[in-house]
C-alpha cells in the first residue's frame, strides 16, 4: 500500500521541527536590541577630533533595547559588545526559527485536516 501524500508531508514537517529544536537547544546567549558603535568629538578646539573625522574618540558601544515598554540605552565595554553582538544575532535567528516552526506546525495541521 502506497503512503498517502499527507503522511509524507507530516513526516517532512516533523523532521524540520526536530532540526529547529536542535538549533534552538544550541543557543546559549540571547538578547534583543541593537548594538551601536560610536565615535565622538570631545568639543576641545585644540583636539585633533575637531578637524579630523578619523581622529575621533572611541569607539564606544551603546546597547539599545526595549524595557518595560520604553527604549533604554546603556554603554557597554568592548568585551560586552562582542558578547551582545552574538546574543543579538542569536535572538534574530531564534525569531526566524520560531516562524519556521509555526509554518511547519500549520503544515501538520493541514495534513491532519486532509485525512478528515
Amino acid at each position: 500500500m502506497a503512503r498517502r501524500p499527507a503522511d509524507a508531508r507530516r513526516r517532512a514537517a516533523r523532521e524540520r521541527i526536530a532540526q529547529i529544536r536542535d538549533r534552538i537547544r544550541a543557543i546559549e546567549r540571547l538578547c534583543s536590541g541593537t548594538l551601536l558603535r560610536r565615535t565622538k568629538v570631545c568639543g576641545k578646539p585644540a583636539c585633533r577630533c575637531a578637524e579630523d573625522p578619523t581622529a575621533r574618540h572611541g569607539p564606544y558601544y551603546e546597547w539599545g533595547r526595549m524595557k518595560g515598554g520604553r527604549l533604554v540605552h546603556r554603554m557597554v565595554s568592548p568585551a560586552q559588545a562582542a558578547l551582545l553582538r552574538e546574543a543579538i544575532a542569536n535572538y534574530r535567528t531564534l525569531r526566524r526559527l520560531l516562524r519556521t516552526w509555526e509554518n511547519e506546525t500549520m503544515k501538520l495541521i493541514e495534513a491532519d485536516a486532509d485525512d478528515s
Side-chain angles (χ1 to χ4, degrees), residues 82-94:
L83 294 173
L84 279 166
R85 194 173 291 114
E86 175 191 352
I88 291 168
N90 286 343
Y91 181 82
R92 292 175 182 168
T93 297
L94 177 64

Side-chain angles (χ1 to χ4, degrees), residues 98-109:
L98 289 175
R99 281 192 301 272
T100 304
W101 191 346
E102 182 179 14
N103 292 336
E104 295 304 323
T105 299
M106 288 306 302
K107 290 176 185 175
L108 285 173
I109 292 168

Side-chain angles (χ1 to χ4, degrees), residues 11-54:
R11 189 175 59 255
R14 284 188 180 113
E15 287 173 8
R16 285 188 291 269
I17 288 171
Q19 292 170 353
I20 291 168
R21 285 179 175 165
D22 289 342
R23 289 189 62 192
I24 289 172
R25 267 189 227 106
I27 294 174
E28 186 174 333
R29 292 183 177 89
L30 194 66
C31 277
S32 63
T34 304
L35 186 65
L36 301 174
R37 181 184 183 274
R38 297 186 183 272
T39 56
K40 296 183 180 183
V41 176
C42 68
K44 296 178 185 176
C47 186
R48 288 187 327 132
C49 71
E51 299 293 326
D52 183 7
T54 63

